[in-house]
Amino acid sequence: MKRSRLLTLLVGGVFCLAVMSLYRMLELMQGAEPQPRRDAPDEQDLSRLQQKIDRLERLLSDNNRLVARLRDSLLQHKASWERGGGGANVSSDSTHSQAAPPPGCRLAEEMKDGADGVQLLDVYDLLPFDNPDGGAWKQGFEIGYRGDEWDEQPLELFLVPHSHNDPGWLKTFDGYYQDQTRHILDNMLQKLSQDHRRKMVWAEISYFSKWWNDIDDQKRATVKRLVGAGQLELVTGGWVMADEANSHYFALLDQLMEGHQWLHRHLGVTPSSGWAIDPFGHSPSMTYLLKGAGLQNMVIQRVHYAVKKHFARQQTLEFLWRQTWDSSPRSDITCHMMPFYSYDVPHTCGPNPAVCCQFDFHRLPGRRVFCPWRVPPQPITDQNVQERALLLLDQYRQKSQLFRSPVLLVPLGDDFRFVETSEWDVQFTNYQKLFDYFEQHPELHIKARFGTLSDYFQALHRRLGAAGTSLPTLRGDFFTYADRDDHYWSGFFTSRPFYKRLDRTLEATLRATEILFSLTLAEMRRFGADGRPDARFPARDHFRRLTVGRRNLGLFQHHDAVTGTGRDPVVVDYVSCFQDEVMSAQDALPQKTMLELSDEPRSLIVFNPTEQLQTSVISVTVDSPDAHVVDAETGRPMAAQISAAWVEPSQVSTEMFQVRMSSSMGLLIGSVIGLLIGSVIGLLIHVAVALLRGRTSSSVAPRLSCDQSSSWLHPPGTLHHPSPWRPTKSPLVRVSRGPIFSDITSCFQHFTHTVRLFHLDGHAGKSLEISNMVDIRSEVNRELVMRFVSDVANGNRFYSDLNGFQMQQRRTLLKLPLQANFYPMTSAAFLQDSGSRLTLLSAQSQAVASLRPGELEVVLDRRLQQDDNRGLGQGITDNKLTASLYHLLLEDRRGGAQKQSNVVYAVQSTVEHLSLLAHLTSLSLSHPPITMVAPSDSQLPKLRPFLPLRLSLPCDIHLLNLRTLEDTQVRSTPGDTPLKHLSDVSCWSWTTGRVIDFLQHCPIKRSDEETFNKI
Ligand SMILES: [Zn+2]
């Protein structure tokens, strides 16, 4: 404690000195200011003044850098002191964090980050995470009330019936649909129609649309009537209730569009409220997309229990969720966080689950489910209605004390509820009796009814407005989630990495296909009559297949799919959907097709799916080492590198060879390359295999798992810093050098690790490519981790991305267990200090942590034998040979202060973004060129490059997709020309277009905007 104070004082002192000297300079400048003169100042005076201003600017810059260095050094000292024993003492950790930051840094933070509202990072610093027993509400506290709080403003309660339908978990999508979902929806029609006071909400459009296809017109009319009457509300409107940790925002948006377009077309509605009760942690990227899709309100549930308790005490469970980087309220969405452990009935009516369970009438004696608290529900009768109503009212009143308004949201449902008609009857009739009792007793000051989310939020906004109460704003995300004790759900950030990689490959393929289809459709419409595509182009057939691809990718964003938390057969079922699209084998890496060469040239068509000019390396497997590569357009030879294809770590194939050539391609261009056996022989001269002893810059450390590690959870272990694995056998190391790339491959027992450097101009030559091939199938309870060790002085802070959309600061806290310090990395993570930034760009989602200053580690794969008691009933043992791909970038930040002349420079600001170079590298990594081989025996006319867009897009604009919408009149037919949607729906610029780096390096010019709109 003393050391820390001393350090703060020291830093404060040095800072004061710096400020004093700056102030003195200002004073001197003022003194030197020319006196006002009657005549205009001459040129010389003006230039002198300009020079002085320039000098002052430089001084300011230097000063900012000094502050940055001081802050870094403070963080470093703080981190090292905490390591030295402070971490064991929980209270000291939180006391430290409450100490005021150095004044200069505070100014910087205020300027760059919104100073208003709640910043979740600060909440994490503040909380002790001590988990005391809260009594009836185990993870909370005793809630008291006087009883007269509602005399003036009665309690307004909305009971929202729901049924959580996972599109695949223990059963497959179709399995659930046949056994449960279709009955739930059939009964919904019947039971809601019986009484106009009954309501329900539904979220999963994948199920809803499937059921819609099965019902007749009469039932469809009933659905429309119920929706129109406000009895049935479609909430969120996504194809699934998407995972928010592993999913890339491309896929999040795509499944949202698919669901919303379906709703718009069939029911003519746009959802206004979000309902995400089961994803394992929540991301602001999702709220940004929801807001953009027209939603105003949302409900979330799976948030760390300690955060919930803190928010409940502060009455901040309802807040305006604001983007970290946005200083305006335009992205705000009203968010309601459920206060208790779960979304089931025992944990939603109030703080005491033993009481609430008695109001889940599906658990009445004699039915299939029961209350584990051993007090069963009772049917409501004239005799017991008063006692039951008052018991329930007490829970409602306690829950209401946690919120700022007297409007209360109480969900009524659980997983796959309301399957049987009798369940509808017991729930709706018993609750109606209670509501009637409340209505007959105005002295209780409660108005209770069934409601939808819109009913609730409308009442909430009305009441808040009338009382002049405002909700606090909140910035940040809700990872890493813990549901109880030290059970942190960070395992699913990595579980089943084979499928996480597959998901991203599918995304890239779908996007490229969508773009090519849309461009071709537009081209074909030019040749067709009346704006219709040329009849020879099978637009409808292609569009139908695209729709299937979109929906399969959408389904995989479900919170038990891409997360790797479904049962083995369910995982196989998801992937079998993809089989038609891109995979020939469902449980193996795709095999490369060998190209047979001869004197006749073979044509390769290469499509650059990015909107930027990129120099990329194209790789093909051929049957001859004498390959000769030419540009098909000009006939000029192209630089190529021919290397060996390895069948075993030390065995070279004599029949297959790798040809890699660099190709420079403009935006969305398909270029043509010719390949033949030529007189110029290949460059493969010598292959040597050697056993080497040595070190590479990254190390791979397997960690032993403890009990309870599972598909969702990381082990609650005490191993704070697992040591690198020492292989018993020396690795076999292969080294290649060539004009296009050089690489080193190390072959260990469980993995092959390749580090490659491309000798190319442009951004491709500025980073190091790292690829791993992992196989831990012979291991038991192991996790394989890749760790980078650097001298970047990042203290306890690092940054990981949220859904590939924005960067989020992370703080490694020693008061939290190991598994709590892992965070999701969808596409990027970095460490930085005042001098440099080390960025890891990833082609797949994985767990990431920085357990020590200068270190970054990524969990590559995990194999777990046991279940974790979260319902799955199995471990994860279906591991596969899994590939992973990264780019590592080291950037100099020392020039940053000068470049950001209008903003005070903070080294570890809460808001940071990838640099332009990192963005472009990430884009190339996620969307590599697509290589297609033209048939050799075809009589096709000579292929020519395809140049759909002759304009270059500004480098800070990302073309997310060119997505053709369905025709509004004819089903399964491509509709509006997608190019019209470039500037609204289909085109999303990086939010980080706001990044200072970006604007400085690549300002959007007015003319660019106009060009873009014209396309
Ligand atoms: Zn679920």
Side-chain angles (χ1 to χ4, degrees), residues 673-808:
I673 294 170
L675 233 115
L676 68 161
I677 293 181
S679 52
V680 180
I681 60 156
L683 298 158
L684 183 68
I685 297 163
H686 177 68
V687 174
V689 177
L691 282 171
L692 293 180
R693 283 182 189 281
R695 291 175 53 164
T696 50
S697 59
S698 54
S699 62
V700 184
R703 190 164 47 232
L704 188 67
S705 297
C706 306
D707 282 339
Q708 295 169 11
S709 181
S710 79
S711 50
W712 283 288
L713 308 176
H714 253 305
T718 51
L719 300 171
H720 270 261
H721 197 261
S723 51
W725 178 45
R726 308 260 174 248
T728 47
K729 255 172 62 180
S730 294
L732 186 135
V733 178
R734 303 194 301 250
V735 180
S736 346
R737 284 193 202 94
I740 293 187
F741 70 89
S742 300
D743 65 18
I744 301 173
T745 300
S746 313
C747 305
F748 293 85
Q749 187 192 350
H750 294 304
F751 56 93
T752 306
H753 178 66
T754 303
V755 180
R756 182 170 292 159
L757 193 61
F758 293 103
H759 312 302
L760 297 175
D761 295 334
H763 62 265
K766 291 192 164 55
S767 58
L768 201 63
E769 185 190 87
I770 297 170
S771 53
N772 295 312
M773 195 63 80
V774 170
D775 185 358
I776 55 168
R777 282 176 288 191
S778 59
E779 288 296 313
V780 175
N781 283 344
R782 289 271 177 183
E783 290 179 327
L784 198 68
V785 174
M786 176 169 67
R787 178 183 297 154
F788 297 88
V789 182
S790 74
D791 59 0
V792 177
N794 62 308
N796 71 335
R797 299 184 182 200
F798 73 107
Y799 298 79
S800 63
D801 74 318
L802 287 165
N803 319 97
F805 187 65
Q806 56 188 314
M807 299 306 296
Q808 172 67 48

Side-chain angles (χ1 to χ4, degrees), residues 164 166 278 343 415 558-560:
H164 179 66
D166 290 304
D278 205 23
Y343 52 82
D415 291 358
H558 162 51
H559 57 264
D560 285 313

Side-chain angles (χ1 to χ4, degrees), residues 18 33 284 345 419 548 812 909 1010:
E33 214 171 47
V345 181
V419 179
V548 172
T812 303
S909 162
E1010 282 163 10

Side-chain angles (χ1 to χ4, degrees), residues 324 486 797 842:
T324 314
D486 55 0
R797 299 184 182 200
S842 173

Side-chain angles (χ1 to χ4, degrees), residues 119-122 124 282-285 321-325 474-480 797-811 823-825 828-830 848 908-914 992:
Q119 169 57 263
L120 266 165
L121 284 167
D122 298 336
Y124 263 70
H282 296 281
S283 162
S285 308
W321 198 345
R322 185 166 291 182
Q323 298 299 316
T324 314
W325 39 265
L474 175 135
R475 294 160 195 268
D477 69 332
F478 294 102
F479 294 113
T480 293
R797 299 184 182 200
F798 73 107
Y799 298 79
S800 63
D801 74 318
L802 287 165
N803 319 97
F805 187 65
Q806 56 188 314
M807 299 306 296
Q808 172 67 48
Q809 191 189 92
R810 306 297 182 189
R811 295 176 186 171
Y823 290 96
M825 172 183 68
F830 63 76
V848 67
Q908 299 282 2
S909 162
T910 314
V911 186
E912 288 285 356
H913 309 273
L914 289 181
T992 40

Side-chain angles (χ1 to χ4, degrees), residues 246 280 480-481 487-497 500 562-565 703 708-715 783 819-820 822-823 845-847 859 861-862 864 868 876:
N246 301 287
F280 324 133
T480 293
Y481 167 60
H487 296 188
Y488 283 82
W489 296 42
S490 51
F492 83 95
F493 302 154
T494 292
S495 292
R496 292 181 167 131
K500 287 182 166 64
V562 67
T563 49
T565 53
R703 190 164 47 232
Q708 295 169 11
S709 181
S710 79
S711 50
W712 283 288
L713 308 176
H714 253 305
E783 290 179 327
Q819 67 275 15
F822 279 84
Y823 290 96
S845 300
Q846 278 157 326
V859 185
D861 199 1
R862 48 207 308 265
L864 308 149
D868 63 347
I876 300 185

